[in-house]
């Protein structure tokens, strides 16, 4: 790795949560005022009372509140200021010196916590059924306004600005050639990185087809019509969180900063597949892969302790809101660099290959796997890492 310029400060970072913050969290959970039970037998009115009450019970009686520190602090964490915002990131270099640098971006309601179980399979593939030639030097940044990164204090932190910040981060780390991966909001950042094509970026891989969110896709085949129907259902009854954060993030922010149970409800009410998997983990004790009760609460607890519910919501206003500075800008050209894509069966919609080919003329890798959902790196870290390794194999 090249030397870091002396005028650019990259500082070691560690987490130290004061005991009084944890005591206050427990007190607030215990003081929750609960609504009556929903009047339907499914999630169509929102997060079900039984799910959230069991989550709160487990949070206060069985969860280890030291887990966030215990899981993150053993990893090499750093912070650096980019474009006026303090950026927190994990940087794990592989023992294999020829490893390919990879910057991987989380989404909402995620954080770097959803990525850390894929660190081993990506940086040390020989211990996880892969070869040394598939290893990565891994960079996991926290999005601006999320987790342990700072909050933007001015308008304009849209997907493009974050994408440019990530290119600067990789430059500061001395990486002259690298690849990028993202899902959810991270897919938006990664897609934008591909379109900006900064010097040194060799290719991108995503597991959410960003262009399908903003444009009409073909519906000529049964597979395409099924995907379009899934997107239509999401737009009609599944994207309440998206509309609220893209138009009124400050409004929901008051609840997210004041009540940990409101924060938990907001975060688990994402897509249908992930919600029912999380509900089964708490109510029935049956997790799906790595979507365990403890792992889910690690992520929610990190949001609470960092007080980033509102600032994370504002990122949707910046990226997708009709009143944001980025609204109405001319779309960027298609990525001129190679693109890989993996579709997971539990995603909001199952993306047909034809849609990916229409969106990315430089598609070099496509695969449809048989398990996993929206939080693929979290739920199935080994399978996810296998897909990332395969997508970038030709670019080494």
């Amino acid at each position: 790795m090249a030397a870091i310029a002396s005028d650019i400060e990259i500082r070691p970072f560690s987490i130290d949560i004061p005991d009084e913050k944890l005591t206050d969290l427990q007190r607030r959970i215990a003081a929750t005022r609960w609504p009556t039970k929903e009047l339907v037998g499914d999630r169509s009115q929102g997060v079900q009372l039984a799910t959230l009450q069991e989550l709160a019970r487990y949070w206060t009686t069985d969860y280890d509140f030291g887990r966030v520190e215990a899981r993150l602090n053993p990893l090499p964490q750093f912070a650096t200021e980019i474009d006026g915002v303090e950026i927190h990131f994990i940087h794990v270099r592989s023992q294999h010196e020829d490893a390919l640098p990879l910057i991987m971006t989380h989404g909402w309601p995620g954080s770097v916590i959803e990525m850390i179980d894929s660190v081993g399979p990506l940086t040390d593939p020989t211990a996880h059924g892969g070869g040394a030639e598939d290893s990565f030097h891994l960079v996991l940044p926290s999005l601006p306004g999320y987790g342990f990164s700072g909050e933007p204090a001015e308008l304009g932190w849209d997907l493009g600005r974050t994408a440019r910040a990530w290119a600067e981060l990789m430059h500061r780390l001395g990486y002259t050639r690298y690849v990028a991966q993202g899902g959810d909001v991270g897919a938006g950042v990664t897609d934008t990185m591909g379109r900006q094509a900064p010097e040194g970026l060799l290719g991108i891989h995503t597991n959410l087809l960003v262009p399908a969110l903003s444009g009409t896709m073909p519906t000529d085949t049964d597979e395409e019509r099924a995907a379009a129907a899934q997107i239509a259902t999401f737009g009609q009854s599944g994207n309440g969180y998206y509309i609220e954060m893209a138009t009124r993030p400050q409004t929901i922010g008051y609840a997210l900063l004041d009540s940990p149970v409101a924060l938990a409800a907001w975060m688990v009410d994402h897509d249908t597949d992930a919600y029912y998997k999380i509900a089964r983990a708490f109510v029935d004790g049956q997790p799906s892969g790595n979507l365990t009760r403890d792992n889910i609460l690690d992520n929610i607890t990190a949001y609470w302790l960092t007080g980033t519910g509102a600032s994370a919501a504002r990122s949707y206003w910046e990226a997708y809101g009709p009143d944001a500075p980025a609204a109405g800008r001319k779309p960027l050209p298609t990525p001129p660099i190679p693109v890989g894509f993996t579709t997971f069966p539990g995603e909001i919609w199952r993306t047909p290959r034809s849609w990916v080919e229409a969106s990315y003329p430089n598609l070099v890798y496509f695969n449809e796997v048989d398990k996993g959902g929206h939080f693929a790196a979290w739920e199935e870290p080994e399978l996810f890492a296998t897909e990332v390794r395969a997508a970038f194999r030709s670019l080494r």
Side-chain angles (χ1 to χ4, degrees):
M1 183 174 67
I4 297 168
S6 60
D7 61 338
I8 297 174
E9 185 181 13
I10 295 179
R11 302 174 303 283
F13 184 96
S14 64
I15 300 163
D16 184 13
I17 306 298
D19 289 341
E20 53 266 30
K21 275 197 171 187
L22 300 176
T23 301
D24 177 66
L25 169 57
Q26 292 171 298
R27 177 188 64 78
R28 286 173 181 264
I29 298 171
T32 299
R33 294 179 62 192
W34 294 96
T36 55
K37 186 179 183 296
E38 64 280 354
L39 302 179
V40 293
D42 55 21
R43 73 174 290 245
S44 61
Q45 288 191 339
V47 176
Q48 294 159 294
L49 182 64
T51 297
L52 209 59
Q53 286 188 326
E54 181 56 26
L55 182 152
R57 184 206 65 78
Y58 188 90
W59 206 357
T60 53
T61 61
D62 296 339
Y63 178 71
D64 177 2
F65 283 89
R67 277 178 56 94
V68 173
E69 283 187 33
R71 296 187 72 198
L72 289 178
N73 278 344
L75 296 168
Q77 300 175 86
F78 303 89
T80 187
E81 184 178 312
I82 301 177
D83 200 6
V85 173
E86 189 88 342
I87 299 298
H88 161 264
F89 62 98
I90 295 167
H91 182 202
V92 182
R93 283 185 57 82
S94 173
Q95 64 180 338
H96 306 290
E97 284 302 314
D98 292 333
L100 181 63
L102 165 64
I103 184 166
M104 198 157 72
T105 310
H106 66 85
W108 185 92
S111 66
V112 291
I113 286 174
E114 72 177 278
M115 304 288 191
I116 59 179
D117 288 310
S118 62
V119 169
L122 290 171
T123 61
D124 187 15
T126 55
H128 297 267
E133 68 277 5
D134 285 332
S135 59
F136 296 92
H137 299 311
L138 191 58
V139 180
L140 304 176
S142 295
L143 287 163
Y146 287 69
F148 297 95
S149 281
E151 291 187 18
E154 62 180 7
L155 295 179
W157 273 93
D158 56 14
L159 297 175
R161 191 166 176 178
T162 302
R164 290 189 293 274
W166 280 191
E168 171 62 19
L169 176 60
M170 296 304 276
H171 173 73
R172 289 188 189 184
L173 293 173
Y175 292 131
T176 57
R177 55 192 304 275
Y178 61 95
V179 292
Q181 143 68 33
D184 192 80
V185 175
V189 173
T190 303
D191 170 89
T192 304
M193 290 180 73
R195 295 172 190 276
Q196 293 175 349
E199 184 179 358
L201 181 62
L202 303 179
I204 63 171
H205 175 268
T206 70
N207 47 280
L208 181 75
L209 189 65
V210 175
L213 289 170
S214 57
T216 302
M217 306 303 288
T219 54
D220 300 324
T221 67
D222 288 345
E223 189 180 23
E224 291 173 343
R225 284 188 288 271
Q230 289 178 309
I231 294 177
T233 298
F234 174 70
Q236 291 163 1
S237 62
N239 68 341
Y241 74 93
Y242 179 100
I243 298 298
E244 179 71 15
M245 295 199 298
T247 60
R248 294 293 186 272
Q250 191 71 11
T251 301
I252 190 61
Y254 296 108
L256 303 183
L257 270 291
D258 187 63
S259 167
V261 169
L263 175 68
W266 191 247
M267 292 176 67
V268 302
D269 193 15
H270 189 267
D271 63 284
T272 299
D273 177 76
Y275 169 75
Y276 281 123
K277 287 172 177 175
I278 292 170
R280 285 194 297 270
F282 282 101
V283 177
D284 303 322
Q286 297 176 356
S288 176
N290 249 26
L291 285 178
T292 66
R293 292 178 292 189
D294 285 329
N295 286 347
I296 293 160
L297 284 172
D298 288 345
N299 189 51
I300 297 170
T301 301
Y303 268 74
W304 177 263
L305 295 175
T306 57
T308 49
S311 55
R314 289 189 204 116
S315 74
Y316 270 64
W317 186 92
E318 289 279 12
Y320 314 112
D323 299 317
R329 286 182 186 166
K330 183 179 179 181
L332 293 170
T334 56
I337 58 177
V339 175
F341 188 87
T342 300
T343 181
F344 290 85
E347 186 53 272
I348 298 171
W349 69 89
R350 297 187 69 157
T351 299
R353 180 176 186 134
S354 59
W355 282 11
V356 186
E357 290 175 335
S359 302
Y360 300 121
N362 287 329
L363 184 71
V364 297
Y365 179 83
F366 176 88
N367 194 29
E368 183 173 354
V369 296
D370 60 1
K371 59 181 178 179
H374 185 75
F375 301 101
W378 201 2
E379 183 182 355
E380 301 289 346
E382 295 277 356
L383 174 61
F384 173 81
T386 298
E387 285 301 299
V388 173
R389 293 197 297 259
F392 293 127
R393 195 162 288 146
S394 66
L395 303 182
R396 292 177 179 270

